[in-house]
């Protein structure tokens, strides 16, 4: 169900948008318009298809058009980081931006992916990551954000990836307790996070050897379409605690809403708009 703005826009309506390519599948308009409606804010949120290579120009257009917030998705996250006036400490470290906010006419790049996943794990799994041994499978943009947040919140993080050099690059950026690990480190992990796209297609294989799973582990897949990936089905069948990526999407949007409006995000209304119970 797509949630539309609940009132007609006026000359005073503040506009926020998501840019991406593709973008028509995005759940962000539902999440944000539900949040604005729940708090009765005169804001609206639209999806803008911005072709690859035009991300930096879209930032200039945001300035010209007076948009009050921007969500940034693939493939523009790095280009937007180079086009804004300032970066938050997290976005500067990661080199990628998923959100732009306006402060005194300056555009500030932020990254809310890691905190989005952390809030999802805290609220939906009632799990505190401090002191946990975490293995992240994959070493792309999402893995980078998640690894940094996990390390900053006291977890010990291993990065397992098919390409060793990408995993080493994540560790170089994140530092702290992070290290590159081999696949068998999954056996000793308390929390395992799939940050590869393996599981999006129906016949995708497991992202790692299923025999490494133990019965006291928690398993998170950043994928939310399908809701149950090969990994989550396998983990469910073994009675493990599992979580898909819809909660991460919800909570990263909640943090964006907080940055733009200064208000506490109405998480329940946002969750309801995408069929999630929290
Ligand atoms: N829930 C959310 O809000 C949310 C947010 C962001 C991303 N995500 C999901 O997270 C996943 C990763 O996104 P991303 O932006 O980080 O992607 P990305 O930058 O393209 O990175 C993908 C990673 O997966 C690995 N990989 C790709 N195909 C593989 C395969 N066939 N076998 C083994 N490893 C493979 C890549 O390994 P190499 O380094 O060897 O290429 C790379 O490390 C996607 O499924 C995305 O939809 C979810």
């Amino acid at each position: 169900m797509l949630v539309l703005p609940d009132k007609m826009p006026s000359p005073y309506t503040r506009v926020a948008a998501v840019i991406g390519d593709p973008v028509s599948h995005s759940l962000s308009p539902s999440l944000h318009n539900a949040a604005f409606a729940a708090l009765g804010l005169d804001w609206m949120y639209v999806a803008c298809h911005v072709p690859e290579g035009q991300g930096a120009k879209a930032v200039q257009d945001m300035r010209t058009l007076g948009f009050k917030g921007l969500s940034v998705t693939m493939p523009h996250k790095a280009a937007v980081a180079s086009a804004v006036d300032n970066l938050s400490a997290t976005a500067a470290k990661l080199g990628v931006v998923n959100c732009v906010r306006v402060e005194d006419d300056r555009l500030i790049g932020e990254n809310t992916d890691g905190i989005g996943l952390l809030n999802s794990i805290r609220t939906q799994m009632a799990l505190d990551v401090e002191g946990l041994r975490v293995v992240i499978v994959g070493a792309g943009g999402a893995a980078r954000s998640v690894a940094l947040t996990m390390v900053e919140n006291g977890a010990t993080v291993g990065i397992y990836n098919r390409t060793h050099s990408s995993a080493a690059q994540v560790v170089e950026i994140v530092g702290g307790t992070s290290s590159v690990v081999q696949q068998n480190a999954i056996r000793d992990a308390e929390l395992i996070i799939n940050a590869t796209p393996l599981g999006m297609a129906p016949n995708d294989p497991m992202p790692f050897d299923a025999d490494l799973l133990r019965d006291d582990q928690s398993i998170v897949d950043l994928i939310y379409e399908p809701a149950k990936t090969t990994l989550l089905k396998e983990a469910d069948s073994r009675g493990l605690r599992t979580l898909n990526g819809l909660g991460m999407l919800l909570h990263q949007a909640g943090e964006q809403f907080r940055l733009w409006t200064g208000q506490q995000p109405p998480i329940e209304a946002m969750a309801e708009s995408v069929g999630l119970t929290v």
Side-chain angles (χ1 to χ4, degrees):
M1 179 189 62
L2 178 64
V3 176
L4 299 168
D6 73 335
K7 50 187 167 195
M8 290 290 287
S10 78
Y12 306 103
T13 302
R14 291 164 181 240
V15 180
V18 55
I19 60 166
D21 181 13
V23 80
S24 58
H25 66 288
S26 175
L27 296 176
S28 295
S30 291
L31 287 163
H32 286 286
N33 285 317
F36 298 144
L39 297 192
L41 303 182
D42 188 11
W43 283 65
M44 65 181 293
Y45 187 102
V46 293
C48 300
H49 175 236
V50 172
E52 182 156 17
Q54 300 290 306
K57 184 167 184 306
V59 172
Q60 298 314 321
D61 296 341
M62 171 190 181
R63 212 187 286 276
T64 309
L65 295 170
F67 283 13
K68 300 301 180 198
L70 200 67
S71 306
V72 182
T73 186
M74 297 297 290
H76 303 306
K77 290 183 171 186
V80 169
S82 307
V84 292
D85 299 316
N86 283 106
L87 293 170
S88 69
T90 300
K93 207 161 183 179
L94 297 171
V96 286
V97 154
N98 78 335
C99 168
V100 182
R101 68 183 171 88
V102 184
E103 185 181 297
D104 300 332
D105 291 332
R106 295 180 68 73
L107 300 183
I108 317 293
E110 303 269 355
N111 195 304
T112 65
D113 277 334
I115 187 70
L117 181 65
L118 186 74
N119 287 345
S120 171
I121 289 173
R122 276 183 178 153
T123 56
Q124 294 174 275
M125 294 185 119
L127 195 62
D128 181 359
V129 303
E130 188 173 0
L132 281 194
R133 289 187 303 275
V134 179
V135 169
I136 299 172
V137 183
R144 215 185 265 193
S145 312
V146 167
L148 181 60
T149 303
M150 291 291 150
V151 165
E152 286 177 347
N153 284 275
T156 302
V157 174
I159 309 290
Y160 165 63
N161 191 53
R162 65 177 177 183
T163 309
H164 183 276
S165 58
S166 316
Q169 207 179 1
V170 174
V171 168
E172 197 179 318
I173 290 165
V174 171
T177 60
S178 68
S179 63
V180 179
V181 295
Q182 299 302 314
Q183 188 176 192
N184 59 13
I186 289 170
R187 201 190 302 276
D188 297 323
E190 291 152 297
L191 173 63
I192 299 149
I193 301 172
N194 177 37
T196 77
L198 277 177
M200 294 181 94
N203 296 321
D204 271 354
M206 284 278 293
F208 54 84
D209 182 354
D211 289 342
L212 295 169
L213 290 172
R214 288 191 337 242
D215 59 9
D216 57 349
Q217 294 171 317
S218 298
I219 313 294
V220 173
D221 203 321
L222 301 194
I223 296 168
Y224 54 87
E225 183 57 58
K228 289 286 178 191
T229 58
T230 316
L231 168 61
L232 294 187
K233 283 183 195 158
E234 178 69 36
D236 280 344
S237 74
R238 293 165 182 252
L240 310 190
R241 303 174 73 204
T242 61
L243 182 69
N244 73 18
L246 191 56
M248 173 179 177
L249 185 80
L250 163 70
H251 286 281
Q252 63 78 32
E255 290 309 304
Q256 296 191 359
F257 177 91
R258 189 196 306 279
L259 288 165
W260 298 335
T261 66
Q263 305 224 28
Q264 184 76 6
I267 289 294
E268 280 184 24
M270 296 173 80
E272 195 184 336
S273 77
V274 293
L276 184 65
T277 309
V278 288

